[in-house]
Amino acid sequence: MELRQLEYFVAVAEESHFTRAAQRMHVAQSGLSAAIRSLEKELGAPLFRRSTRQVRLTSAGEALLVEARRTLSAADAGRDAVAAVQGLVRGTLAIGSLQCLHSLPLPELLRDFVTAHPGLDVRLRHSGSTELLDQVRTGTLDLAFVARPSRCPEGLRLAPLGTERLVLACAPEHPLAGRAEARLTDLADERFVDFHPGWGTRDHADAVLADAGVHRKVALEVTDVHSLLELVAFGLGVALVPETFSLKTDQARFIPLPRPVPAWETMSVTTELPSAATVAFLGRMGGGHG
């Protein structure tokens, strides 16, 4: 089994198409297909279900995909380690992050890091915490910034980034907008705007309200902060959000909640053996991983 075969296999799995995978890998489709057939023969199992329209993983292919990504990630880490010994950092660094991560000046850090390591291919994607954790676990991402999970997934390392108070976001004309403070029990009959389950602030708000005995209805689900705040500002629902969301708009009102409402905590997450590029980026943040 060769690394190139695994790279071709992962490309087909992610593209669900042999032609697109070949284009992505800059090889002839016949060569890529032959490499996949050779891999299937070596493993003694079909890895894909092929049809005229699409390509899907078999159960054997699904099992291999996780290990293939880990193997390729480990190979990259090995190359990076040698480069690091030589005073270089090259290869790829894939970072995942929540939106509006105020506990970390991520754009500034990325700019400085890319400037310091021009040979490194740095990639960034936004998603919810659950998906980001899974992508670090499977090797799709090297590093992610997430909301604190209820438990640390096996094989990952977490380190704290920061904490923020939760506040109530509501429309200017909402009955609670003029309050100096809003109690969680005041929200029992409210419509809510929030992110999808699996996103950090959504899961945290769910837990906070459940602990307060408030069974809420999330009427509108969004995937970005600005849409959430705009819907709130137009009176379509209220939301529990980190306090720094108030910096995004002056069209909504942000009302403090009485203590002790659990704070929203953010964390960095890596594998237990992070790549040299990951270690270098964490070092630029002001230290390693605790």
Side-chain angles (χ1 to χ4, degrees), residues 4-76:
R4 180 59 63 181
Q5 289 176 305
L6 294 180
E7 289 174 341
Y8 290 170
F9 164 72
V10 171
V12 175
E14 292 179 349
E15 298 292 341
S16 298
H17 200 278
F18 275 82
T19 300
R20 289 197 298 269
Q23 292 170 345
R24 167 174 155 181
M25 299 304 297
H26 304 291
V27 297
Q29 182 178 334
S30 59
L32 181 141
S33 297
I36 296 297
R37 287 195 299 271
S38 176
L39 182 60
E40 290 177 320
K41 182 178 180 180
E42 180 179 349
L43 294 174
L47 301 174
F48 297 103
R49 296 187 183 92
R50 300 161 172 84
S51 70
T52 56
R53 292 189 175 183
Q54 62 182 348
V55 177
R56 292 184 177 178
L57 287 167
T58 62
S59 57
E62 291 175 351
L64 178 62
L65 182 59
V66 173
E67 298 305 325
R69 283 173 169 161
R70 286 177 177 169
T71 299
L72 293 174
S73 180
D76 286 340

Side-chain angles (χ1 to χ4, degrees), residues 194-246:
D194 214 325
F195 299 103
H196 295 277
W199 290 60
T201 54
R202 166 66 183 268
D203 292 347
H204 186 56
D206 283 344
V208 166
L209 288 164
D211 288 345
V214 176
H215 301 283
R216 66 168 176 162
K217 175 184 178 182
V218 179
L220 302 170
E221 293 183 330
V222 299
T223 58
D224 69 278
V225 172
H226 296 286
S227 293
L228 182 148
L229 295 176
E230 189 173 20
L231 292 170
V232 167
F234 276 94
L236 293 168
V238 301
L240 293 184
V241 298
E243 191 170 19
T244 50
F245 278 26
S246 64

